[in-house]
């Protein structure tokens, strides 16, 4: 999470959506950068409203707007799966080494998720308890340049990105049955992402 106090913007870091690269590029411009622990770095929209908004509201200043990126849900899970296959996690409870992508997604869909599949939900990150979008500006990870253009205009700066935390390359195939179950159980994720295909989403 990054706060741009003077520009009245809070960048909320949905995991696995290129946020580390943006953080590296924009840290010098930010008024505050929350890097650790991971739960604070990846504070979701509800957490921001509950814990942090009042810290940055002052007098007659305009309220902070929030922005975030969202990734296609299966691709997002694939990024988590690949990231947790890195050798540094071998032997750790979060490692997906030796686990197929089908098994990873099946574990993600369980009520009692094992640690390696406990990665949250993008829809939950972005919405309130009623499922309504809580972030002012949401961009598709598939149109990353649109998010960069928004930030460059809003922050009045040029952004140069370098790859950070890239996951190992893997060919991922998900069975039709798990595809269908994932769509059913996480319908809101797919609904929000489908809406992003017409362009960034904005709420007042």
């Amino acid at each position: 999470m990054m706060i741009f106090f003077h520009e009245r913007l809070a960048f909320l870091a949905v995991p696995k959506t290129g946020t580390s690269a943006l953080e590296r590029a924009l840290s010098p411009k930010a008024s505050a950068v929350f890097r650790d622990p991971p739960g604070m770095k990846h504070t979701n929209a509800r957490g921001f409203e509950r814990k942090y908004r009042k810290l940055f509201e002052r007098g007659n200043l305009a309220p902070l707007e929030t922005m975030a990126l969202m990734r296609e849900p299966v691709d997002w899970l694939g990024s988590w799966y690949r990231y947790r296959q890195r050798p540094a996690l071998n032997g750790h409870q979060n490692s997906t080494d030796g686990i197929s992508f089908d098994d990873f997604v099946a574990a993600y869909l369980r009520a009692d998720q094992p640690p390696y599949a406990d990665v949250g939900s993008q829809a939950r990150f972005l919405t309130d308890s009623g499922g309504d979008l809580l972030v002012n500006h949401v961009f598709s990870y598939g149109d990353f340049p649109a998010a960069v253009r928004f930030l460059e205009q809003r922050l009045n700066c040029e952004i140069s990105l370098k790859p950070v935390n890239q996951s190992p390359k893997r060919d991922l195939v998900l069975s039709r049955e798990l595809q269908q179950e994932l769509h059913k159980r996480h319908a809101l994720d797919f609904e929000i992402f489908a809406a992003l295909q017409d362009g960034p989403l904005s709420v007042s």
Side-chain angles (χ1 to χ4, degrees):
M1 180 170 64
M2 292 183 286
I3 306 296
F4 302 93
F5 182 80
H6 298 290
E7 293 84 0
R8 312 307 295 152
L9 183 69
F11 180 87
L12 304 183
V14 179
K16 313 311 296 173
T17 60
T19 55
S20 294
L22 283 169
E23 179 188 302
R24 175 172 290 185
L26 293 174
S27 287
K29 183 79 173 176
S31 304
V33 180
F34 296 78
R35 293 187 176 91
D36 290 304
M40 183 176 287
K41 174 181 179 179
H42 296 295
T43 296
N44 63 26
R46 298 181 210 182
F48 174 78
E49 297 297 332
R50 186 174 65 253
K51 299 178 183 178
Y52 300 111
R53 177 174 289 283
K54 289 183 179 179
L55 295 176
F56 302 102
E57 303 291 349
R58 293 289 187 276
N60 295 324
L61 291 175
L64 257 69
E65 294 184 345
T66 51
M67 75 161 289
L69 288 104
M70 183 184 192
R71 195 165 181 163
E72 194 281 323
V74 177
D75 185 45
W76 182 73
L77 287 173
S79 183
W80 271 115
Y81 170 77
R82 294 192 308 270
Y83 183 65
R84 290 187 165 183
Q85 287 206 326
R86 66 193 193 278
L89 283 182
N90 286 353
H92 191 278
Q93 63 179 356
N94 286 346
S95 175
T96 56
D97 182 50
I99 297 169
S100 71
F101 187 48
D102 260 21
D103 287 343
F104 173 76
V105 174
Y108 175 72
L109 292 171
R110 283 166 46 185
D112 58 336
Q113 293 173 329
Y116 65 80
D118 184 6
V119 297
S121 158
Q122 292 182 97
R124 181 173 174 79
F125 190 106
L126 298 168
T127 63
D128 62 20
S129 59
D132 293 322
L133 201 62
L134 194 55
V135 178
N136 298 113
H137 306 281
V138 183
F139 295 83
S140 171
Y141 177 84
D143 189 13
F144 207 88
V148 172
R149 289 193 298 271
F150 172 84
L151 286 165
E152 288 182 327
Q153 183 175 33
R154 187 66 177 260
L155 305 179
N156 191 28
C157 68
E158 184 175 339
I159 298 174
S160 178
L161 297 176
K162 297 180 179 179
V164 179
N165 288 345
Q166 289 187 306
S167 302
K169 300 298 182 184
R170 296 285 189 277
D171 290 327
L172 303 180
V173 178
L174 187 62
S175 68
R176 176 179 292 184
E177 293 77 12
L178 282 171
Q179 281 265 14
Q180 292 173 341
E181 185 65 16
L182 186 62
H183 274 261
K184 178 181 177 181
R185 297 270 296 278
H186 290 272
L188 186 56
D189 288 84
F190 289 95
E191 179 183 321
I192 296 172
F193 187 77
L196 282 172
Q197 302 320 292
D198 294 326
L201 298 177
S202 295
V203 296
S204 57

